[in-house]
Structure formats: structure tokens, C-alpha cells
Amino acid sequence: MRTDIFARLDREPEPPKIETPRMSRHRIALFGGTLAFYLAIVIAVLMSSWLVALDWKVMLFRPYQQWPGIHAFLDYYVVLGQRGPTAVMVACWLGWRSWRQHTLRPLLTLGASLLLLNVTVGAVKIGLGRLGPHYATQIGSAELFAGGDIFPSGHTANAVVTWGILAYLAATPRARRYLSAMSAIVSLGVGLTTVYLGTHWLSDVVLGWAAGLLILLGLPWAEPMITRAENWIFAAREWLSARGRTVAPQPSAAGAPRPAPARLPAAGEAAPTGGGHQTTVLTAGGSRPRAHSGPPAHPGHTARSERTPVTPAGSRRPPHADRTPRGGAAPARPVAGG
């Protein structure tokens, strides 16, 4: 029995129609406002404005020294923003959703969002090359174009996208509200944790929130591509199934008896005639046929009287010159003397 996801999709009943989010006017307005905020943060850091001065004040405050008691807990909590562990956890849940809903859309949507996250955030990280707080060289400097990869915060953006995708794919408005609040709390905590640990500037975290939100708001534009990818995967699956399918032999009609294999009559055996069958009984004086009116023996089993004798007909004892055959005349004995 197959246990892969496609086998489950074949066995489950057809689920209700699930509506995909569309780029409404409200969503477009949110996307435009978030994009403007994103660009404003980048410009403020490039100009070394008050935002960079705030970064240095928070960094010199050293939160990890002010509250050392929560350091051990936050070391584990920040894992909720790492791409590898969070992607595996969310993919397991969305894989179960795909299993139940007869669609690969949840998994494909997660893959598309992570791909967009890596491309957009990674490009800005490499392009601006900002150094982190632990590697800063000049107080008050933005530390840009120095070979770093800290701006925007990848942990924060990944937390927004990975946990926010659950709200994006929610089936009911109530579930969408609860999952949106949960993802907002998790991503907010992950961003502030990186500031506490001193691995990111505050502006890195703010830009990471905006970067992740832009991906979630723009996902409806990727829905047609996701649908085409799903159709292509199912078409490829059908093609592979048809190619690997072998032609099975046609079964015989139900109840039709199989023809018995042809057998040549043995020596001294009469061929069957009519509706009955005839056997030959071997006796000492010769052979004589005996007719049977009953049905013939089962074709799969040969009757004892129909088997080919191992020895010639007649007595099984070897002939002797000095013995007289039964029923025959005794040969004349020579008379001794004169």
C-alpha cells in the first residue's frame, strides 16, 4: 500500500472549496504603506540620521548585562526565528493540511514565500554590507558597505514570514485573526531578543519586520504561479503513473471451465466416446474394455485405470522356459529310454 501524499490525496473525499486571498484595495494600500516605511528606514540609515544614533544608544546600554537572568531562556527563544528549524516545523503542519485538503497549495505557498524572503532580504543584506554591533568600529557610524550581512534582520523577517504564513493560509476568519496575533507576538519577541543579545541593531529589526510583512502582503500576486506549479506537478505524476503501468493479462470469463490438456491414449487404452468414458482393464488373459456411464474423471487427476502401465500387459513375473503358462497346454515331455 502506498503511504505517500499522493496516495492519501486519492483516498480522501473532495474537500470544500478554499478561497485564496486576492490583492484587494485594502491589501494594496497596506503594501504601499509598508513599502514606503521600508524605504524610509533604509534612507535614514544611509544618512546616519537619528535612527543610527538610537542604535548606538541601545547598543551601549547593553541589555544582556542589565537583565542577565533571562539570557538562557532567550538563547532558546530566538530559535523561533531561525530559518531551518521553523521551516521544518511549519512544513510538517502544512504537509498535513495538504494531505487532508487534496492540494499542494500550502506547501507550495510556504516554498514561494521562503524563496522570496531569501532573494529580497539576501540582496539587501549583501548590497548594504552593514556590520553588526559586536563588530562595530566607529561610534556613531552606520557601519555600511563594510562587508557585513546584518541589515535587515534575517531572524526577524523569517519569523514574520514563517509564522505569518499560517495566518495567510487559515481557512476561517476567526482562525486567521488568532494566527495573525500569534505570529505578530512571536516575530516581535524574536526581533527584540536579537537586540537584547546584541546581534542586531534596532534599525535592523525594524527593517526586518517591514521586509517580512511586504512578502506576506504581496503573496496573492504569486498565487497564479503557485496554481500553475501545482497543476504541473499533478500532470507529471499522472504521466509517470501511466508510464509505469504494465498491461495485465485479460482474465477468463467467470465460471467458464478451463479446457483439459490433451492426452494421447496409452497402449491398450481405448479413446473415450460419447458422453461417457471407457477404460481398459488388464487381465491375465488379455485386455477387455469396460464402459462407464458416469462423468469422466477430474481433468486435473488421472484415474488409476487410465494410467500407462509400467510393465507390459500380462504377468509381471519373468518368463521361464521350464514353466507352463496358465491356461495353456503342457508341452510334450521327451520319453527316456528305447
Side-chain angles (χ1 to χ4, degrees):
M1 180 183 298
R2 295 186 303 165
T3 57
D4 58 350
I5 185 172
F6 295 112
R8 180 72 181 195
L9 296 181
D10 291 338
R11 293 194 300 268
E12 285 293 324
E14 189 67 23
K17 180 66 176 177
I18 300 176
E19 296 183 0
T20 58
R22 297 181 179 181
M23 288 301 294
S24 60
R25 293 182 178 179
H26 177 70
R27 185 179 286 270
I28 292 176
L30 287 176
F31 184 86
T34 306
L35 181 60
F37 179 77
Y38 183 95
L39 295 176
I41 297 297
V42 173
I43 294 173
V45 173
L46 287 173
M47 297 179 62
S48 298
S49 63
W50 60 271
L51 185 57
V52 176
L54 180 61
D55 286 340
W56 276 98
K57 289 181 180 180
V58 174
M59 181 264 189
L60 295 175
F61 180 69
R62 291 180 173 83
Y64 58 89
Q65 292 182 355
Q66 303 299 326
W67 303 285
I70 60 176
H71 196 290
F73 169 75
L74 294 181
D75 276 338
Y76 289 100
Y77 182 81
V78 78
V79 177
L80 295 177
Q82 290 184 359
R83 191 163 301 126
T86 55
V88 171
M89 289 187 290
V90 175
C92 290
W93 167 255
L94 296 181
W96 184 83
R97 286 274 306 273
S98 297
W99 194 6
R100 296 289 298 175
Q101 295 178 354
H102 294 251
T103 176
L104 296 176
R105 177 175 169 262
L107 288 175
L108 293 176
T109 305
L110 175 63
S113 62
L114 292 180
L115 178 62
L116 291 173
L117 176 67
N118 290 332
V119 172
T120 56
V121 174
V124 177
K125 279 176 173 287
I126 297 174
L128 296 179
R130 191 180 191 186
L131 294 176
H134 292 312
Y135 303 97
T137 57
Q138 184 179 356
I139 295 179
S141 172
E143 302 293 337
L144 294 172
F145 310 111
D149 58 350
I150 209 73
F151 183 70
S153 171
H155 271 70
T156 306
N158 182 74
V160 173
V161 172
T162 307
W163 301 110
I165 203 70
L166 299 178
Y168 178 82
L169 295 171
T172 61
R174 181 179 181 182
R176 188 175 296 112
R177 288 194 297 269
Y178 285 138
L179 291 174
S180 298
M182 182 203 73
S183 62
I185 292 173
V186 172
S187 59
L188 181 65
V190 168
L192 294 179
T193 298
T194 60
V195 175
Y196 167 86
L197 297 174
T199 57
H200 279 286
W201 305 99
L202 181 61
S203 56
D204 298 343
V205 173
V206 175
L207 193 65
W209 286 329
L213 188 57
L214 281 176
I215 293 174
L216 290 179
L217 291 174
L219 268 180
W221 280 325
E223 287 292 343
M225 180 187 65
I226 294 172
T227 302
R228 287 194 297 269
E230 182 181 19
N231 294 335
W232 182 86
I233 291 174
F234 279 111
R237 173 219 173 187
E238 295 296 334
W239 180 78
L240 291 175
S241 299
R243 185 178 181 182
R245 192 180 299 120
T246 57
V247 180
Q250 295 294 333
S252 58
R258 294 182 177 179
R263 185 177 60 84
L264 296 177
E269 181 180 352
T273 59
H277 64 284
Q278 196 175 42
T279 60
T280 301
V281 180
L282 303 178
T283 60
S287 61
R288 60 186 180 85
R290 176 183 294 178
H292 296 273
S293 59
H298 194 277
H301 303 279
T302 305
R304 182 178 298 275
S305 60
E306 296 178 1
R307 296 176 183 174
T308 304
V310 179
T311 61
S315 176
R316 297 190 179 186
R317 295 180 180 179
H320 295 274
D322 57 346
R323 291 189 180 180
T324 304
R326 285 184 190 176
R333 295 184 177 181
V335 180

